[in-house]
Amino acid sequence: MSKIFERQPREEDKFNLKKDSEEIATTSRRLADYMDMLKLAEDEFDNPDSLILDLGSGIEQNLAKDIRQRGLKSKIISLDPKLGLSDEEDLSGIGQDLDKEIRMKARKNAESGTVAGLSNELPFSDNVFKRIYAIYSAPYYLNHPEDIKKTLREMIRVLKPGGIVKAFPIEEEQVEVLQSLLESSDNINFSIKRIATKTDYGNLLTINKK
């Protein structure tokens, strides 16, 4: 597994994650949510040759947990921007006591493949992931155009040729920034489409790397 890393996350990197701490939603992010919001079939997660980056895995790394419990064969790397922070720092953005208890349990029993990192500086080598999936994470919680651009560049960089990025939801004010960047990239095709899910309406971003 370590071959996917451009470098191993360093101890000092953990403290650079504080700036995102209060922006992390407690969305459950179950397999069913990914299938619904990203319009995926279950067999997308049942390919032993598919390495998937879960970009912003939530407080429990539930996608990786569901994949393991269901015996599906895709390999999941969960990116957790709060992994490695102190208990107080980690829990600072979580309002409900029950969510805090869930998070503390998840910290002690993190799913295999959980990695500390930020979306705008991914700690991975080029061209390693077949799929990158994100729901209610990046770029959803990014406010500044430059952070959105850095995240998009990083997602494309670590995606294999022929790979696919899917992210939901894309805020209306983010669409123009994304389109401007993606239209200038000659190694991808993309779409941003308004869709309905079981619980929400929003824009779904799909990127195909050539």
Side-chain angles (χ1 to χ4, degrees), residues 46-85:
D46 198 26
N47 181 352
D49 298 321
S50 180
L51 185 64
I52 297 172
L53 175 60
D54 181 12
L55 193 67
S57 55
I59 62 175
E60 293 184 86
Q61 305 99 39
N62 276 327
L63 177 61
K65 185 182 297 183
D66 286 352
I67 295 298
R68 173 176 56 80
Q69 292 176 346
R70 295 190 186 205
L72 301 174
K73 297 180 177 63
S74 294
K75 301 177 183 67
I76 308 296
I77 300 296
S78 303
L79 191 77
D80 186 342
K82 300 179 74 174
L83 186 69
L85 296 178

Side-chain angles (χ1 to χ4, degrees), residues 77-135:
I77 300 296
S78 303
L79 191 77
D80 186 342
K82 300 179 74 174
L83 186 69
L85 296 178
S86 70
D87 291 355
E88 181 179 358
E89 291 165 333
D90 193 333
L91 301 178
S92 64
I94 301 176
Q96 300 295 321
D97 287 342
L98 178 59
D99 286 338
K100 289 181 179 179
E101 291 178 15
I102 291 170
R103 176 60 178 179
M104 290 303 296
K105 183 178 179 181
R107 277 170 58 92
K108 294 176 182 177
N109 301 283
E111 286 292 309
S112 175
T114 304
V115 175
L118 295 174
S119 64
N120 61 10
E121 192 175 353
L122 295 173
F124 307 112
S125 303
D126 297 351
N127 306 317
V128 293
F129 292 101
K130 187 168 184 178
R131 299 286 187 267
I132 299 175
Y133 296 144
I135 59 172

Side-chain angles (χ1 to χ4, degrees), residues 1 9 24 30 52 69 73 76 105-106 119 136 152-153 165 167 174 189 199 206:
M1 190 70 73
I24 305 306
R30 309 300 313 215
I52 297 172
Q69 292 176 346
K73 297 180 177 63
I76 308 296
K105 183 178 179 181
S119 64
Y136 288 98
L152 262 290
R153 291 189 186 106
V165 172
Q174 295 174 326
N189 295 315
T199 58
T206 302

Side-chain angles (χ1 to χ4, degrees), residues 36-52:
D36 175 37
M37 296 178 185
L38 304 182
K39 305 308 177 187
L40 300 169
E42 187 173 289
D43 59 10
E44 283 285 326
F45 300 91
D46 198 26
N47 181 352
D49 298 321
S50 180
L51 185 64
I52 297 172

